[in-house]
Each structure stands twice: as C-alpha cells, then as structure tokens.
Amino acid sequence: MTTTEPTRTPQNADEQRPLRVIVADDQAAVREPLAAVLDMAEDIDVVAVAADGTQVLAAMATTAADVVLMDLRMLVMDGTEATRRLSEEHPDTAVVVLTTFADDDSILAALSAGARGYLTKNAGRQDIIRAIRAAAAGQSVLDGEVQSRLLATARTRPPAVTQPLPQDLTRREREVLALIGQGLPNRAIAEKLFISEATVKTHINNLFAKAGFQDRTEAVRRAIAAGLV
C-alpha cells in the first residue's frame, strides 16, 4: 500500500476526536463484521453502515463522516456513482474503495469519480485502518496491486494531452516526483535519496503546490507523461 503527503489539514487535528466512518457494502455478512472490527480501533467510530450508495448519501444527511469505506458493485446506486456524488456534495469526506474488483476500468472509474484510496478485499484489518487514517489526513492510498495496474495502464494507453510540468521545479522535486511515479512511499524515497522523511514531505508539499496535483494518482500520471518513469 502506498500513500503520499496530505494536501490539506487532517480533519480531526483540532478536535482530537475519533474518525467518523461509514461502511458501505451490499453484503451484510461483509458489512457488519467489518464495521465491528473497525469500531474496535480507538481512533475510529463507525457511525453508519449502508447497503448501497443511496443509503450512504442518506447517512451523510444526518452525520458528517470523515471517511466512507465503499464497495463498488452495489444495487440501487453503485459505489462509483456514490463516490461521484460524495465528491460533489461532501468534498471534505474521503472515499476509500474496498472491493474484490481490481480491473483497469473499475480502478480508473473510481479514482476519476474522486476516490482517495483503492484497496482490494485481500487487504488486512491493519491495512484498512491505515488507509482510513491516511485518507482522512488528505493522503491518497493505493493497494500495491492497484498501484501496479495503474502504472501499467498509464504506460500502455495512448497518452492524453497533459499540461507540462512547471519550469520552476527543482532537480530534487523532479527526483521525488519520479520516485512517486514508481510507486515508492515516503520512507523508501527518503532512503533512495539519502534524506530524511521530513525533507521528503517538504519536497512533496512544494511539488504538489507548484504543479497543482490533487492526489497521488495525478502525480503518477504526470510523472509518466513527462517521461520521468
């Protein structure tokens, strides 16, 4: 699983409260146990469960969740459409997809709709909890398998017209972007460049501000389009 640095202040930084989470899955046998397991974490409060996208939006009308853990294939309203609606109507709520599907179309549709993270159901409890925490802090979270498929897709599909990288990027910022494009987390980037993880975070924040990146997915695509990967 890979993450990148936040582009905004963590939602619960000032209040020091548990993260409010909605679990959405059309199978009760998955939804209920998952909610119970997550609720055991001290910093997570599962405030609602939902069987489809319409139930997620209804729950959001009464409780402002920080993160929605979203299945994709659901009846009535699927996870991709629910993610799009959440991005438009509740932009401060992060969506982390948790699904059995890791095909290119599902990944790209969910990320394009605004999902901040994408995990497969092979992810363990701690991976899911880390993803929820990271997403709430504004980080983009991708399962290792998803990251690999995204990179492969970006390399093999015809390139879209992409805005060039800013001319004022420093050499180090370009190096960091290239390593992000390879799917490396901050710790690995720090080891690769022989600098501290805090310095990596500073470079990433500067890089994202200059280039206008919204999340890691965009950074990966732009790195590939620029020939850095």
Side-chain angles (χ1 to χ4, degrees), residues 1-3 25 34 38 67-72 95-103 106-107 110-111 115-135 140-147:
M1 182 175 66
T2 57
T3 63
D25 195 293
L34 180 58
L38 294 178
V67 179
V68 176
L69 194 62
M70 186 83 76
D71 189 19
L72 285 185
V95 174
V96 174
V97 169
L98 180 65
T99 181
T100 57
F101 302 95
D103 58 283
S106 295
I107 295 169
L111 295 178
R116 189 167 294 147
Y118 199 113
L119 302 178
T120 67
K121 288 184 178 177
N122 291 327
R125 173 180 177 269
Q126 289 303 319
D127 288 335
I128 296 171
I129 290 174
R130 281 193 291 268
I132 289 171
R133 291 168 179 162
S140 181
V141 186
L142 299 177
D143 182 276
E145 178 184 355
V146 171
Q147 177 80 7

Side-chain angles (χ1 to χ4, degrees), residues 17-132:
R17 55 167 173 75
L19 295 171
R20 295 183 293 251
V21 175
I22 294 174
V23 176
D25 195 293
D26 64 343
Q27 297 183 44
V30 174
R31 182 175 67 243
E32 302 297 341
L34 180 58
V37 167
L38 294 178
D39 222 12
M40 293 172 63
E42 292 183 359
D43 60 341
I44 292 177
D45 181 15
V46 178
V47 294
V49 294
D52 59 63
T54 60
Q55 292 185 14
V56 172
L57 296 175
M60 286 295 297
T62 58
T63 179
D66 299 304
V67 179
V68 176
L69 194 62
M70 186 83 76
D71 189 19
L72 285 185
R73 306 293 170 88
M74 299 183 290
L75 299 176
V76 186
M77 182 187 293
D78 66 23
T80 301
E81 176 61 16
T83 298
R84 186 188 66 77
R85 290 278 300 275
L86 283 171
S87 298
E88 294 175 353
E89 300 171 16
H90 304 279
D92 289 335
T93 298
V95 174
V96 174
V97 169
L98 180 65
T99 181
T100 57
F101 302 95
D103 58 283
D104 295 348
D105 289 342
S106 295
I107 295 169
L108 293 174
L111 295 178
S112 297
R116 189 167 294 147
Y118 199 113
L119 302 178
T120 67
K121 288 184 178 177
N122 291 327
R125 173 180 177 269
Q126 289 303 319
D127 288 335
I128 296 171
I129 290 174
R130 281 193 291 268
I132 289 171

Side-chain angles (χ1 to χ4, degrees), residues 172 176 190 194-206:
R172 183 64 88 189
V176 169
F194 301 101
I195 57 179
S196 70
E197 196 168 347
T199 301
V200 171
K201 292 178 181 178
T202 298
H203 286 312
I204 290 177
N205 285 334
N206 292 339

